Amino acid sequence: MLSITFAAAISAGSARAQPVEKAKSMEAPLTYEVVRAKKPVRIDGDWNKSDWKKTKSITIEKYMGAIPPFKPAVEAKMMYDNENVYVIFRVKDRYVRSLVQEYNGNVSGDACVEFFFSPDAALPERYFNLEVNAGGTPLIFYVTKPWTGFQKLEADDIKQIEIAHSLPSKIDPEISEPVTWTIEYRVPLTMLKKFSNVTDPKPGVSWKANFYKTASQSTNPHWITWSHVDNAKPNFHLPQFFGTLIFK
């Protein structure tokens, strides 16, 4: 989520959402075992295909800020091979809108799924934030210090991320009725290595990461995390609360 829109999104969301539930304290960060793909994964957005059938999913269900009237059901899965990491999200949703179509635009205002990950095991506070709206448009920065130290990836690098989306690239007007949508992508390790040292995935290696869902400018604004973030206001850029990916 971008800092220039963050305060406005919170203000708009607070007026329409229900009272804040008391946050759980001292909640331990989560772990997820990432299995090796048996073969290169075809990127088509199909949650039910054989590549993902036996892969355990995680549930993104911990709310930051106000609890929305409608709670999306959000799951994600991840795999890897020697060249790539693969991620797929499935969202059972309502109030879906997706307007942004330019790289590194404010996709978090739309219905959006996000994967923040630290591929350098020696520097877990440095991370990529890969945010993809329901129309398949990405934002990705390499962050060395939240809000002040970051590098925006350029189009030539972003195009190396193969993305599939189940909904149209632009969704307007908002879909208010129930709808299920998916985002799937392949991130090449060689592309990441242009910006960060990468501890290559293999059995025994760990990365720090978190998975998120947001739609800050919808009529049902929300900020949801996988690993608990202990912060009063919605803020995904807190790597101290990342969970752990354990490669198997």
Side-chain angles (χ1 to χ4, degrees):
M1 294 182 293
L2 295 178
S3 57
I4 58 174
T5 61
F6 194 72
I10 295 173
S11 177
S14 299
R16 292 188 293 265
Q18 296 175 0
V20 178
E21 290 182 356
K22 186 177 180 181
K24 296 178 182 179
S25 60
M26 304 301 290
E27 187 169 339
L30 298 180
T31 62
Y32 178 59
E33 293 186 348
V34 184
V35 299
R36 178 182 286 273
K38 294 182 178 179
K39 64 182 189 312
V41 178
R42 182 179 64 189
I43 304 302
D44 58 9
D46 183 1
W47 177 270
N48 295 312
K49 65 180 174 238
S50 60
D51 304 77
W52 294 109
K53 278 289 187 183
K54 295 183 179 180
T55 305
K56 182 181 177 182
S57 66
I58 57 100
T59 303
I60 301 164
E61 60 183 359
K62 296 176 170 59
Y63 283 84
M64 299 192 73
I67 307 300
F70 171 76
K71 296 181 179 181
V74 190
E75 297 176 89
K77 296 181 178 183
M78 183 175 176
M79 291 192 291
Y80 76 100
D81 58 26
N82 291 339
E83 289 80 36
N84 309 283
V85 291
Y86 305 93
V87 176
I88 190 168
F89 291 86
R90 181 177 66 179
V91 186
K92 296 179 180 180
D93 213 353
R94 293 181 64 187
Y95 311 104
V96 175
R97 186 178 68 166
S98 185
L99 300 179
V100 177
Q101 295 182 286
E102 68 275 7
Y103 288 162
N104 290 335
N106 182 29
V107 295
S108 68
D110 295 336
C112 183
V113 288
E114 308 188 6
F115 175 45
F116 286 30
F117 60 101
S118 306
D120 183 355
L123 293 170
E125 73 280 2
R126 299 186 177 187
Y127 59 92
F128 291 90
N129 59 306
L130 176 53
E131 310 175 12
V132 183
N133 68 13
T137 298
L139 171 152
I140 182 168
F141 296 175
Y142 179 59
V143 183
T144 55
K145 186 176 181 180
W147 311 120
T148 58
F150 58 88
Q151 183 175 358
K152 296 182 181 181
L153 276 64
E154 300 297 332
D156 287 346
D157 297 306
I158 295 173
K159 287 177 181 176
Q160 296 181 49
I161 304 172
E162 185 181 2
I163 301 173
H165 49 101
S166 62
L167 292 178
S169 59
K170 185 173 183 179
I171 305 160
D172 188 36
E174 184 177 86
I175 301 172
S176 59
E177 63 269 17
V179 61
T180 297
W181 55 278
T182 60
I183 293 290
E184 182 181 28
Y185 47 76
R186 176 186 63 83
V187 183
L189 297 175
T190 53
M191 186 273 286
L192 300 177
K193 289 176 181 179
K194 290 184 62 177
F195 305 92
S196 169
N197 289 327
V198 173
T199 307
D200 287 323
K202 60 183 179 180
V205 164
S206 296
W207 289 2
K208 304 299 287 186
N210 213 341
F211 298 82
Y212 307 109
K213 166 70 173 71
T214 187
S216 64
Q217 295 180 13
S218 76
T219 59
N220 186 64
H222 53 268
W223 296 264
I224 322 174
T225 76
W226 165 60
S227 192
H228 174 67
V229 180
D230 189 5
N231 201 65
K233 294 183 178 180
N235 182 359
F236 293 169
H237 290 267
L238 295 171
Q240 64 269 35
F241 295 109
F242 284 4
T244 304
L245 306 176
I246 302 171
F247 294 96
K248 304 300 286 184

